[in-house]
């Protein structure tokens, strides 16, 4: 007798049922409410100062990178992996863009293309190493983080590289009705990631591999290919973050990317992405990035100790993981204690 196997349709249906269409709407609603109330409180504390166009533009500028690095972490977490090299890769690509334009006279388009292609290639290499060595992505990206940090210092040294007056910096300062152009790029990237995971076959397979690797394999999906795609896409998104950082910053140096790692995990995990893989929330990640950025705004507004920012964000991330684990445990206990359903009779002619 043949053993039952999961059909491709079942595998595709499973991750999406628990990911993009059922990704804890209550979590997203809560984050939206916290974001609105938090911003309203800061507006009241600033006596309306944060309602001015320039203030709103400043908040959105500093929200751009947290959204992108959260998305970069999200696509790797979707397959049950982690990318510890998000900050180091972003820093290396940023100083590489600056060096290409300032030191070698490269045109803006070429520097941008090199950064995007380089980010995707380095991410894909990380994925290939994970597949080839069977070593967890945590270790592989940790090694990549160290290597890229050294390369970043090799390119920039102790100097700050600026490209004033270039097309890139003009784009970085552009805005539409006080909405920065770089922020619109971040939103477009989030929409593209959501579309990829929901509508594109490779994205659906990526979620299937993260949600149930065995079922995915039985349906003919290559989990190894999904790992490479996830890491490559993560690197590409980090490349976008590096381009926009170079465009909006007065100069880039070895400090770029040094504080990206914690916010990347915070945005994805607080937003509803599961550490085990297969469950993601793009909208939740965007909202969580906004909430995390509000903590920074509050620190600046009330002159709080900077150490409290990392403490608060870290505590929220830990609390989110613990609550998720408790919820999962309670769900498993409820499933085990519920009576088994009696098999339903089938209709139709016998084969």
């Amino acid at each position: 007798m043949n053993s039952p196997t999961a059909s491709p349709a079942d595998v595709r249906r499973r991750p999406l049922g628990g990911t993009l269409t059922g990704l804890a709407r209550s979590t997203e609603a809560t984050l939206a409410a916290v974001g609105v109330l938090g911003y309203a409180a800061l507006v009241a504390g600033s006596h309306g100062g944060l309602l001015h166009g320039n203030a709103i533009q400043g908040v959105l500028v500093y929200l751009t990178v947290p959204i992108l690095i959260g998305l970069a972490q999200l696509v790797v977490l979707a397959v049950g992996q982690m990318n510890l090299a998000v900050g180091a890769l972003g820093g290396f690509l940023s100083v590489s863009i600056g060096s290409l334009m300032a030191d070698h006279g490269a045109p803006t388009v070429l520097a941008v293309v090199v950064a995007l292609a380089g980010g995707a290639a380095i991410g894909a290499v990380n994925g290939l190493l994970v597949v080839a060595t069977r070593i967890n992505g945590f270790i592989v990206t940790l090694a990549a983080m160290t290597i890229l940090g050294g390369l970043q210092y090799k390119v920039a040294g102790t100097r700050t590289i600026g490209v004033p007056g270039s097309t890139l910096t003009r784009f970085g300062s552009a805005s539409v009705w006080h909405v920065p152009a770089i922020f619109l790029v971040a939103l477009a990237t989030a929409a593209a990631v959501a579309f990829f995971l929901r509508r594109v076959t490779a994205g659906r397979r990526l979620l299937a591999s993260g949600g149930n690797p065995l079922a995915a394999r039985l349906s003919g999906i290559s989990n190894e290919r999904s790992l490479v795609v996830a890491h490559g896409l993560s690197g590409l998104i980090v490349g976008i973050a590096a381009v926009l950082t170079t465009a909006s910053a007065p100069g880039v140096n070895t400090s770029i990317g040094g504080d990206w790692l914690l916010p990347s995990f915070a945005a994805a995990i607080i937003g509803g992405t599961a550490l085990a893989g297969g469950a993601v929330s793009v909208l939740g990640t965007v909202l969580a990035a906004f909430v995390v950025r509000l903590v920074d705004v509050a620190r600046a507004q009330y002159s709080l100790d900077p150490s409290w920012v990392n403490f608060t964000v870290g505590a929220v991330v830990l609390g989110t993981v613990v609550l998720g684990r408790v919820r999962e445990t309670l769900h498993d206990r409820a499933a085990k204690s519920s009576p088994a359903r009696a098999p339903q009779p089938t209709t139709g002619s016998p084969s």
Side-chain angles (χ1 to χ4, degrees):
M1 183 174 66
N2 295 331
S3 59
T5 60
S7 68
D10 290 337
V11 174
R12 287 194 298 268
R13 198 176 298 121
R14 255 182 233 136
L16 287 176
T19 55
L20 298 176
T21 56
L23 16 109
R25 291 192 183 103
S26 60
T27 299
E28 296 172 351
T30 300
L31 288 171
V34 169
V36 171
L37 293 176
Y39 195 77
L42 292 175
V43 167
S46 67
H47 304 290
L50 286 178
L51 289 179
H52 296 160
N54 290 336
I56 294 175
Q57 184 173 342
V59 171
L60 295 180
V61 165
Y62 287 106
L63 179 58
T64 298
V65 169
I67 289 175
L68 291 170
I69 59 179
L71 295 172
Q73 200 65 252
L74 175 146
V75 294
V76 178
L77 288 172
V79 291
Q81 295 275 309
M82 295 183 183
N83 186 359
L84 301 186
V86 165
L89 177 58
F92 168 67
L93 293 175
S94 295
V95 297
S96 296
I97 295 171
S99 179
L100 282 173
M101 297 179 64
D103 299 337
H104 304 286
T108 298
V109 174
L110 177 60
V112 169
V113 170
V114 168
L116 297 181
I122 293 173
V125 168
N126 286 338
L128 289 172
L129 287 174
V130 172
V131 171
T133 62
R134 303 296 178 183
I135 299 176
N136 190 278
F138 180 93
I139 302 299
V140 171
T141 57
L142 177 62
M145 178 181 69
T146 305
I147 295 171
L148 291 168
L151 292 175
Q152 182 180 4
Y153 184 81
K154 178 68 174 177
V155 173
T158 59
R159 60 183 176 141
T160 296
I161 307 173
V163 285
S166 65
T167 303
L168 187 61
T169 55
R170 288 196 296 271
F171 176 78
S173 60
S175 63
V176 180
W177 296 101
H178 295 295
V179 178
I182 61 172
F183 178 72
L184 295 177
V185 173
L187 292 185
T189 303
V193 171
F195 179 82
F196 173 77
L197 294 174
R198 181 188 290 269
R199 300 296 182 186
V200 179
T201 300
R204 295 171 67 91
R205 288 176 176 174
L206 186 150
L207 286 171
S209 295
N212 193 331
L214 177 59
R217 187 182 303 113
L218 292 174
S219 68
I221 295 174
S222 171
N223 293 324
E224 289 78 11
R225 183 179 302 167
S226 295
L227 284 174
V228 176
V229 169
H231 280 279
L233 180 57
S234 178
L236 175 61
I237 297 173
V238 171
I240 297 174
V243 170
L244 299 185
T245 296
T246 309
S248 59
V252 290
N253 51 38
T254 54
S255 68
I256 299 295
D259 57 351
W260 287 12
L261 187 58
L262 177 59
S264 73
F265 279 104
I269 294 173
I270 296 174
T273 298
L275 283 172
V280 303
S281 173
V282 173
L283 176 58
T285 297
V286 174
L287 293 173
F290 176 66
V291 171
V292 171
R293 181 52 66 192
L294 286 182
V295 177
D296 280 326
V297 175
R299 178 195 64 78
Q301 182 168 314
Y302 297 106
S303 301
L304 302 176
D305 188 340
S307 63
W308 282 102
V309 176
N310 286 340
F311 175 83
T312 302
V313 174
V316 172
V317 172
L318 179 60
T320 303
V321 174
V322 171
L323 288 175
R325 182 59 180 166
V326 170
R327 188 180 305 159
E328 182 181 343
T329 301
L330 293 176
H331 180 271
D332 291 343
R333 289 179 180 175
K336 291 179 181 178
S337 61
S338 62
R341 294 181 180 179
Q344 299 296 324
T346 58
T347 60
S349 57
S351 55

